[in-house]
Amino acid sequence: MINKVGMSILTMFGIGYFKYAPGTLASLVTCLIFYFLVKTNNFGSNYNYIIIILILILIYSIIFIDKFAYKFKKKDPSEIVIDEFIGQSIVILFAFFLGGNVYIILSLTSSQSFLLPYILELELLLAFILFRIFDILKPFPINIIDKKIKNGLGVMLDDVVAAIYASITFAFIKKIILLWL
């Protein structure tokens, strides 16, 4: 029973078995989850709980990746996509942590107000694109982590570092946009 639950979580309930780009699909599904959390007003008030849940999933995943390593042919198998879920979640949480300053500025800037209803979607799209770029290209030190640490920690850590890079880039882009407005 625990093995089935563990495998379900590691594969994001079967998304990891998708034939084409399972990591990208997992990131997209993660964006959709957060989109619905925000749209149903279940995000802001539960922000701390979401962080705690993500930390628990991260720890659980590291343990279970090591436990189920024998079931996979590779050390970082494409079927395991919980790392994409965690990485994408970090970028999204960071994006929302930066807050609503764009909302306020756009609401005050009448020439840009047509963007106001789409800010959530635009920020999620930017978070998605940036995370996928860093996760796929694996710039230093992500590439070193990916090659040298061949266990559950390595599988999760390369996506966490990709998420940190994506978050910093997101903040930089957001700052440029705010200066431009």
Side-chain angles (χ1 to χ4, degrees):
M1 175 70 172
I2 290 183
N3 287 351
K4 286 185 179 183
V5 172
M7 287 300 288
S8 293
I9 290 172
L10 293 180
T11 63
M12 276 184 69
F13 303 96
I15 291 172
Y17 297 117
F18 193 72
K19 190 174 182 179
Y20 302 105
T24 300
L25 181 61
S27 290
L28 181 62
V29 168
T30 304
C31 289
L32 292 173
I33 290 168
F34 278 94
Y35 177 80
F36 288 113
L37 283 174
V38 171
K39 285 295 188 179
T40 58
N41 294 322
N42 289 313
F43 182 74
S45 60
N46 295 319
Y47 192 80
N48 292 332
Y49 295 118
I50 292 169
I51 291 173
I52 291 168
I53 290 167
L54 289 173
I55 290 170
L56 291 174
I57 292 172
L58 174 67
I59 293 166
Y60 177 86
S61 298
I62 292 169
I63 293 166
F64 272 85
I65 289 169
D66 289 337
K67 181 178 179 178
F68 295 123
Y70 70 93
K71 291 190 175 210
F72 300 103
K73 296 173 187 157
K74 298 187 318 187
K75 290 292 181 184
D76 189 356
S78 60
E79 295 91 352
I80 295 176
V81 292
I82 195 66
D83 51 333
E84 273 78 16
F85 173 79
I86 293 293
Q88 188 66 66
S89 296
I90 291 169
V91 182
I92 293 169
L93 288 171
F94 182 81
F96 287 106
F97 179 75
L98 283 179
N101 49 8
V102 171
Y103 297 100
I104 294 167
I105 291 170
L106 285 177
S107 65
L108 296 174
T109 312
S110 60
S111 65
Q112 306 294 334
S113 62
F114 70 93
L115 294 175
L116 191 57
Y118 308 107
I119 292 298
L120 172 62
E121 291 83 357
L122 292 171
E123 287 191 343
L124 282 172
L125 179 64
L126 180 60
F128 171 76
I129 291 169
L130 290 173
F131 175 69
R132 292 311 302 151
I133 287 171
F134 286 107
D135 188 36
I136 292 168
L137 296 181
K138 298 189 184 311
F140 179 83
I142 301 168
N143 58 350
I144 303 298
I145 294 167
D146 188 52
K147 289 176 186 163
K148 300 283 184 184
I149 306 175
K150 296 293 185 186
N151 56 19
L153 178 63
V155 171
M156 298 302 290
L157 188 59
D158 75 318
D159 286 271
V160 169
V161 176
I164 292 167
Y165 277 29
S167 297
I168 292 167
T169 307
F170 184 96
F172 181 73
I173 290 170
K174 196 165 184 176
K175 188 72 166 173
I176 289 173
I177 291 170
L178 289 174
L179 290 172
W180 181 60
L181 296 175

